[in-house]
Amino acid sequence: MDQISSLPETILHDILSRLPKKDAIKTSVLSKTWREIFYTFPILSICHQESIRRSSKRKKDQQIKTFLDYGKQRLLRFSDQGLAIKEFKLKLSLTCFDLQLIYPDVDQWLKLASECSVQTLKLCLPALKKDGQCLCYILHPSVIEARSLNKLVLKGRIRFDKEFLNLSVKFSSLCVLSLCNVLFDDEGAIEHVISHCPLIEHITLKWCYVYNPQGAGDMQISFMKSVSMHGLQKLKGVDIQGVQNVYIDAPNIEKIYYGADSDEPSKMNFDSCGNLRALTLMNVKNEFSFTFTDTWFLDLSSKFPFLESLELVECSMFENISISSSQLKALVLCNCSAMEKLEIDTPNLLSFRYYYAGDDLPSISFLRCSSRLEVNVRLNMIHPRLYQLEKFVEQFKPQKFSSLSFSIRPCIPSDESFYDDEYYYWEDPYSLPPTLPVPSIKHLVIRSVREVKSKYLLLVNRLFYIWRQKVFH
């Protein structure tokens, strides 16, 4: 007997939430009960790709009409029955012409969702480009009226116009705000929106634009140049990319991710964020940055006494970097090409990951480190040379660490077809001396190219032998 269908509606909705979307849809044909359960499922996702296929104009127009009717009926069912919508996601990637035709329907859907006390709203449209002539969707004012809204995600050609900003914006319940590729009519518009989010905890701003009516052609829109966040007592984390000048004054913030525009000068001030626990910097260049000096990383403990994770990705700030912190537990450096010397003074560091693509390997020294430290090194070298690898590997003494892993891969950028997806593990053929307290080096990981496999393995074989002799004897 069917015992599941008689369960309470909330439990059946919970079952649907744990199923893949396609399987959840299939339950609607099981019975009238399951059909009703599916249509009142509070997590509503509408994507045009599920209804509109490539076809002739006549068929496509009919598909769009069917799609619009389907979306309207789904939302009207919630509205007519007084049901709440937990999450509403709308994803559209139609052509510019088709998008402009359905914008009025999107307005109606957002209004219905707001009236149904929607908690999470996600609207995803095609990406906005500087040279794109497609009209943006102007965000409907009904979004402001959704007092229950606690998460707002907007992506693509969506526009905050001046009329929207003139309204009494009050996102009284909003905790998460994520904006990617959206367009603002004014440089200070985003600050206006954020200032009306007293409970905001997480903010994401990725490559947002500002409209410039005085510009000509593709100069009418440009990337946002500055953003200031202050007075946000609940703010826990930010992810900001493509903004030149950033100022953050949030006493309780714990995580900052900043990706600079590599072609523009950048300035970032977050020195007052004393509760910071994780910091990621990407594309920060020395010649463009006015924030970081050569001594900025030298005493992280005084600036950020709770900082536990630091990641530098594609950063070319200084040739010599000294990192000192008593609380740091995880350190990641990825493709920091300008760095020639790195000194690490972190007695409580537990994880160090170093990734680099190139032949100029830096000098790395650990002044103080934990005996539990795990080191992971991955190198992509175009012209690997024994003396370079030997000198680089000698810097890592296995007695200091709990584990040490090397991955060395020669790369030939001119022809990717030479790459071989097979991994080679070079096992240690000798037992380590019993006097060593931490005998954790077990193997080197080699990813080779098919045409140079044997020659490269011989090189690494020789390298590992030399390294063992110098380290253990």
Side-chain angles (χ1 to χ4, degrees):
M1 295 180 61
D2 180 10
Q3 300 292 334
I4 297 179
S5 299
S6 60
L7 293 173
E9 186 180 82
T10 54
I11 295 180
L12 296 179
H13 282 160
D14 186 75
I15 292 175
L16 288 183
S17 68
R18 301 172 188 273
L19 294 176
K21 187 177 180 181
K22 290 184 178 180
D23 293 336
I25 294 174
K26 291 177 182 179
T27 62
S28 63
V29 301
L30 294 176
S31 65
K32 291 183 179 179
T33 301
W34 277 101
R35 182 177 179 84
E36 185 65 21
I37 291 298
F38 173 74
Y39 277 108
T40 58
F41 184 45
I43 299 178
L44 180 57
S45 178
I46 300 178
C47 177
H48 90 277
Q49 293 178 338
E50 298 170 358
S51 307
I52 303 175
R53 309 293 181 184
R54 290 186 178 181
S55 57
S56 62
K57 185 180 184 304
R58 183 177 179 181
K59 287 185 177 180
K60 187 176 182 180
D61 290 343
Q62 182 59 41
Q63 289 176 349
I64 293 177
K65 184 179 182 302
T66 302
F67 169 72
L68 296 177
D69 290 341
Y70 166 77
K72 181 180 179 180
Q73 293 302 319
R74 289 293 306 273
L75 286 160
L76 280 174
R77 184 183 292 264
F78 282 89
S79 179
D80 294 341
Q81 298 184 19
L83 301 175
I85 297 178
K86 184 177 181 180
E87 178 178 325
F88 178 45
K89 179 180 180 180
L90 178 59
K91 184 178 181 180
L92 304 171
S93 55
L94 298 167
T95 63
C96 292
F97 177 75
D98 292 330
L99 282 172
Q100 294 173 39
L101 291 178
I102 69 173
Y103 281 162
D105 295 273
V106 175
D107 285 343
Q108 185 182 21
W109 293 356
L110 293 183
K111 187 175 185 300
L112 288 171
S114 299
E115 293 173 353
C116 294
S117 301
V118 63
Q119 297 179 22
T120 298
L121 178 61
K122 300 179 181 180
L123 178 58
C124 303
L125 300 182
L128 178 64
K129 300 179 180 178
K130 284 187 177 182
D131 56 353
Q133 300 299 319
C134 185
L135 294 177
C136 292
Y137 168 70
I138 298 177
L139 192 64
H140 195 269
S142 62
V143 176
I144 303 176
E145 301 169 4
R147 301 292 181 180
S148 58
L149 192 66
N150 56 44
K151 183 176 182 179
L152 179 61
V153 179
L154 303 176
K155 183 178 181 180
R157 48 175 67 104
I158 302 170
R159 180 174 173 179
F160 287 79
D161 67 350
K162 293 182 178 179
E163 292 184 6
F164 183 94
L165 298 175
N166 290 333
L167 298 173
S168 56
V169 181
K170 188 65 175 179
F171 292 111
S172 56
S173 301
L174 197 66
C175 296
V176 179
L177 176 64
S178 178
L179 305 176
C180 178
N181 253 179
V182 302
L183 176 64
F184 292 92
D185 274 8
D186 183 79
E187 184 74 38
I190 182 59
E191 297 176 13
H192 177 77
V193 173
I194 293 175
S195 65
H196 289 80
C197 303
L199 300 181
I200 196 72
E201 295 181 0
H202 299 278
I203 298 176
T204 299
L205 297 176
K206 293 184 179 180
W207 305 101
C208 293
Y209 295 90
V210 175
Y211 179 64
N212 179 20
Q214 280 74 38
D218 60 357
M219 298 302 292
Q220 285 192 335
I221 62 174
S222 59
F223 285 123
M224 183 182 297
K225 295 187 180 301
S226 65
V227 63
S228 178
M229 302 179 187
H230 52 85
L232 303 175
Q233 299 295 323
K234 300 287 186 178
L235 190 62
K236 298 294 185 181
V238 297
D239 181 351
I240 302 176
Q241 300 181 40
V243 182
Q244 290 179 232
N245 301 321
V246 179
Y247 173 75
I248 302 175
D249 182 7
N252 296 309
I253 195 169
E254 297 180 353
K255 185 175 182 179
I256 293 178
Y257 183 107
Y258 175 62
D261 184 351
S262 58
D263 297 327
E264 298 291 342
S266 60
K267 183 178 181 180
M268 190 175 186
N269 188 338
F270 55 94
D271 289 344
S272 61
C273 302
N275 202 41
L276 192 65
R277 298 179 184 273
L279 174 64
T280 300
L281 301 175
M282 183 175 181
N283 280 331
V284 178
K285 312 296 182 184
N286 184 31
E287 60 269 24
F288 293 137
S289 176
F290 300 101
T291 301
F292 305 100
T293 64
D294 54 356
T295 60
W296 194 86
F297 297 98
L298 191 57
D299 191 12
L300 293 176
S301 296
S302 61
K303 298 185 184 74
F304 311 109
F306 303 105
L307 187 67
E308 296 181 349
S309 174
L310 175 64
E311 297 187 23
L312 304 179
V313 182
E314 303 284 349
C315 293
S316 302
M317 293 181 285
F318 311 105
E319 295 181 353
N320 300 326
I321 298 180
S322 296
I323 298 176
S324 177
S325 172
S326 59
Q327 296 297 324
L328 199 65
K329 295 181 179 179
L331 176 62
V332 178
L333 286 88
C334 180
N335 286 332
C336 298
S337 56
M339 186 178 67
E340 297 181 358
K341 182 179 180 180
L342 173 64
E343 290 185 348
I344 303 173
D345 185 7
T346 52
N348 294 303
L349 193 67
L350 300 178
S351 174
F352 173 66
R353 290 182 291 167
Y354 179 78
Y355 308 139
Y356 183 65
D359 291 335
D360 299 324
L361 301 178
S363 167
I364 300 178
S365 59
F366 293 86
L367 303 183
R368 288 187 297 170
C369 66
S370 170
S371 60
R372 296 182 295 165
L373 176 61
E374 297 181 358
V375 177
N376 188 311
V377 178
R378 296 183 184 181
L379 304 176
N380 286 6
M381 304 186 68
I382 299 176
H383 303 292
R385 296 180 176 87
L386 178 59
Y387 73 90
Q388 280 185 312
L389 291 172
E390 177 187 348
K391 183 178 180 181
F392 181 77
V393 173
E394 279 182 10
Q395 302 173 114
F396 299 92
K397 308 295 185 181
Q399 298 96 324
K400 290 186 176 182
F401 317 127
S402 67
S403 68
L404 175 58
S405 174
F406 278 91
S407 175
I408 307 173
R409 172 188 173 186
C411 56
I412 305 177
S414 61
D415 189 354
E416 295 184 358
S417 65
F418 283 170
Y419 291 147
D420 187 358
D421 290 333
E422 184 176 2
Y423 279 86
Y424 298 92
Y425 293 87
W426 201 87
E427 298 291 345
D428 180 4
Y430 308 102
S431 60
L432 299 178
T435 56
L436 291 179
V438 189
S440 57
I441 293 297
K442 297 296 184 183
H443 62 266
L444 289 177
V445 183
I446 315 302
R447 186 171 187 178
S448 185
V449 178
R450 184 176 294 108
E451 280 70 12
V452 297
K453 184 187 302 183
S454 354
K455 182 178 179 180
Y456 192 71
L457 288 176
L458 288 174
L459 182 150
V460 176
N461 192 334
R462 174 63 178 166
L463 166 67
F464 191 65
Y465 175 77
I466 295 174
W467 173 72
R468 281 188 56 83
Q469 297 299 315
K470 292 189 176 183
V471 170
F472 293 121
H473 301 288

